[in-house]
């Protein structure tokens, strides 16, 4: 759009010479410390009638308003187009995610059938139902049992992974007695600790009230934390499961004397299918999803998994749960 001076010249209301004269007058006033608009310079010099000047200015304002309106319409159309494109992309991503979860869930269930057959025959062999076993064969059975447990755990992990958001995890919460739960976890991990030459201890004050949680998912999450503490520990190391009152909540913590984690790498331990030591020569096995799923379960309980770690000294994983209020 032409400037005011050019518009006046185009309409024959001002000559180029008069426009230059007005611009020079405007510059002189500016240098004297008195800034004025071009329209004021024109009227001061009597070069343009005020009424005609106002008409041209009003026309320019109308043109600007129309240009702004058209620009807004264009932007709104682009926003709508981009919104539609983003929604389509989100729909595709949601569908892909659903297919991924369906696949994980289906393949996990499919794997359970041959596993059931395997463990059935392992039990029969171990009970000498198919004949007496030599010592070498019994050792082989123990290896099979160990491999079965690892594969069964991996399948369970994959099933949990199919719950890709905290909201999709269904909790059946109720009062959980921690002494009983800790004893169950201790029994579950005693063979593993013996094999790794790790000392496992747990402590729950007698006065500690029950907590509100989904007992099965809480047990699973704590077992994952204990498994991680054993896995990244050292020979003759220690793993301790502890519960401590914090007013209306209870803090549960798993502590170890293991290798520890660098502070800048702590968040990496929660990335699925990722281990901080990703080399082919790493000592610790596993698919790298246990802590991811444990964190997800704890978040579903409305809590946060806190990690404190010192390289070479060990780590502490903790979270809190509300106490169960007894009805009287």
């Amino acid at each position: 759009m032409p400037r005011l001076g050019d518009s006046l010249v185009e309409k024959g209301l001002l000559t180029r010479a008069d426009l230059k004269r007005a611009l020079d007058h405007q510059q002189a006033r500016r240098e004297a410390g008195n800034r004025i608009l071009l329209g004021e310079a024109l009227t001061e010099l009597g070069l343009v009638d005020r009424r005609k000047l106002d008409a041209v200015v009003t026309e320019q304002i109308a043109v600007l308003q129309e240009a702004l309106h058209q620009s807004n319409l264009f932007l709104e159309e682009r926003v709508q187009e981009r919104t539609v494109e983003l929604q389509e992309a989100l729909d595709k991503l949601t569908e892909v995610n659903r297919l991924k979860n369906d696949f994980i869930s289906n393949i996990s269930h499919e794997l359970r059938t041959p596993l059931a057959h395997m463990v059935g025959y392992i039990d029969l062999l171990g009970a000498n139902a198919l004949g007496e076993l030599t010592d070498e064969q019994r050792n082989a059975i123990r290896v099979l049992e160990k491999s079965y447990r690892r594969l069964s755990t991996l399948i369970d992990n994959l099933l949990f992974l199919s719950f890709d958001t905290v909201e999709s995890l269904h909790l059946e919460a109720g009062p959980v007695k921690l002494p009983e739960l800790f004893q169950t976890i201790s029994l579950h991990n005693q063979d593993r600790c013996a094999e790794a030459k790790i000392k496992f201890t747990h402590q729950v004050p007698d006065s500690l009230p029950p907590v509100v949680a989904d007992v099965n998912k809480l047990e699973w999450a704590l077992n994952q934390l204990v498994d991680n503490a054993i896995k990244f520990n050292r020979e003759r190391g220690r793993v301790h499961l502890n519960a401590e009152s914090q007013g209306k909540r209870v803090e549960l913590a798993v502590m170890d004397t293991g290798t520890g984690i660098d502070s800048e790498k702590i968040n990496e331990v929660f990335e699925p299918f990722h281990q901080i030591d990703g080399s082919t020569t790493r000592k610790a096995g596993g698919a790298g999803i246990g802590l991811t799923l444990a964190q997800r379960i704890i978040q579903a309980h409305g809590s946060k998994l806190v990690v404190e770690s010192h390289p070479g000294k060990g780590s502490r994983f903790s979270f809190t749960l509300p106490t169960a209020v007894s009805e009287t």
Side-chain angles (χ1 to χ4, degrees):
M1 188 186 75
R3 296 181 178 181
L4 176 60
D6 294 331
S7 293
L8 291 169
V9 172
E10 289 176 3
K11 293 179 179 298
L13 301 175
L14 189 69
T15 65
R16 285 289 175 185
D18 287 340
L19 175 59
K20 185 178 184 308
R21 181 183 167 194
L23 291 171
D24 291 341
H25 178 67
Q26 183 185 30
Q27 179 64 27
R29 292 288 296 274
R30 182 182 297 112
E31 292 173 355
N34 185 16
R35 293 176 174 274
I36 61 172
L37 299 175
L38 178 60
E40 293 177 283
L42 291 170
T43 55
E44 283 183 5
L45 296 175
L47 298 175
V48 176
D49 178 75
R50 168 59 69 179
R51 183 177 59 80
K52 293 180 179 179
L53 178 63
D54 288 346
V56 173
V57 171
T58 300
E59 181 182 334
Q60 283 198 312
I61 291 174
V63 172
L64 285 172
Q65 288 178 332
E66 179 59 24
L68 181 61
H69 176 66
Q70 292 300 324
S71 178
N72 287 337
L73 288 177
F74 174 75
L75 288 175
E76 288 177 4
E77 289 176 0
R78 288 296 298 146
V79 168
Q80 290 177 356
E81 290 174 2
R82 291 296 295 156
T83 300
V84 171
E85 292 172 3
L86 289 173
Q87 186 59 52
E88 291 176 351
L90 179 61
D91 291 343
K92 290 180 181 178
L93 182 61
T94 301
E95 177 63 15
V96 169
N97 204 39
R98 186 189 66 79
L99 292 173
K100 178 208 71 176
N101 290 339
D102 287 348
F103 171 77
I104 291 175
S105 181
N106 290 337
I107 198 67
S108 299
H109 283 297
E110 287 296 322
L111 287 171
R112 284 189 178 280
T113 300
L115 265 184
H117 294 158
M118 287 172 59
V119 73
Y121 279 105
I122 289 173
D123 289 342
L124 288 173
L125 288 168
N128 294 326
L130 301 180
E132 289 292 330
L133 300 178
T134 65
D135 290 341
E136 186 176 355
Q137 289 170 332
R138 288 193 177 281
N139 288 332
I141 291 297
R142 281 193 287 271
V143 172
L144 286 174
E145 288 175 340
K146 184 177 179 180
S147 296
Y148 164 78
R149 288 196 300 270
R150 288 183 60 185
L151 185 55
S152 180
T153 299
L154 177 58
I155 291 172
D156 287 340
N157 291 353
L158 287 172
L159 280 171
F160 271 113
L161 191 64
S162 66
F163 298 106
D164 62 334
T165 64
V166 169
E167 293 76 12
S168 63
L169 272 173
H170 175 67
L171 299 181
E172 296 181 1
V176 178
K177 296 179 180 179
L178 293 179
E180 296 177 4
L181 176 61
F182 280 20
Q183 184 63 31
T184 300
I185 293 172
S186 178
L187 292 172
H188 177 80
N189 289 282
Q190 63 182 5
D191 290 343
R192 175 84 188 284
C193 287
E195 291 175 8
K197 297 181 180 179
I198 301 292
K199 183 179 180 181
F200 179 83
T201 58
H202 67 272
Q203 182 176 5
V204 185
D206 294 335
S207 60
L208 202 64
V211 296
V212 178
D214 183 315
V215 63
N216 293 322
K217 291 185 176 64
L218 176 59
E219 179 185 341
W220 190 93
L222 286 172
N223 272 319
Q224 291 301 314
L225 295 178
V226 171
D227 178 78
N228 186 74
I230 297 170
K231 186 186 303 180
F232 294 98
N233 217 309
R234 62 193 71 190
E235 190 172 312
R236 304 190 186 283
R238 182 169 177 257
V239 175
H240 181 65
L241 177 59
N242 188 69
E244 185 176 297
S245 176
Q246 289 191 349
K248 295 182 178 180
R249 298 183 72 86
V250 172
E251 182 192 59
L252 289 81
V254 176
M255 296 163 278
D256 66 67
T257 57
T259 56
I261 311 165
D262 291 331
S263 57
E264 66 272 13
K265 293 185 177 181
I266 284 179
N267 288 333
E268 293 183 27
V269 302
F270 298 114
E271 295 178 13
F273 303 108
H274 174 80
Q275 284 196 357
I276 291 177
D277 179 10
S279 66
T280 55
T281 58
R282 71 181 187 219
K283 295 180 180 179
I289 58 177
L291 288 182
T292 303
L293 302 178
Q295 182 190 50
R296 194 170 293 172
I297 289 171
I298 291 165
Q299 288 175 340
H301 281 82
S303 190
K304 179 182 179 181
L305 185 56
V306 179
V307 184
E308 303 167 63
S309 189
H310 303 281
K313 294 184 178 180
S315 302
R316 184 179 191 270
F317 290 76
S318 63
F319 60 96
T320 66
L321 291 173
T323 58
V325 179
S326 60
E327 296 182 0
T328 57

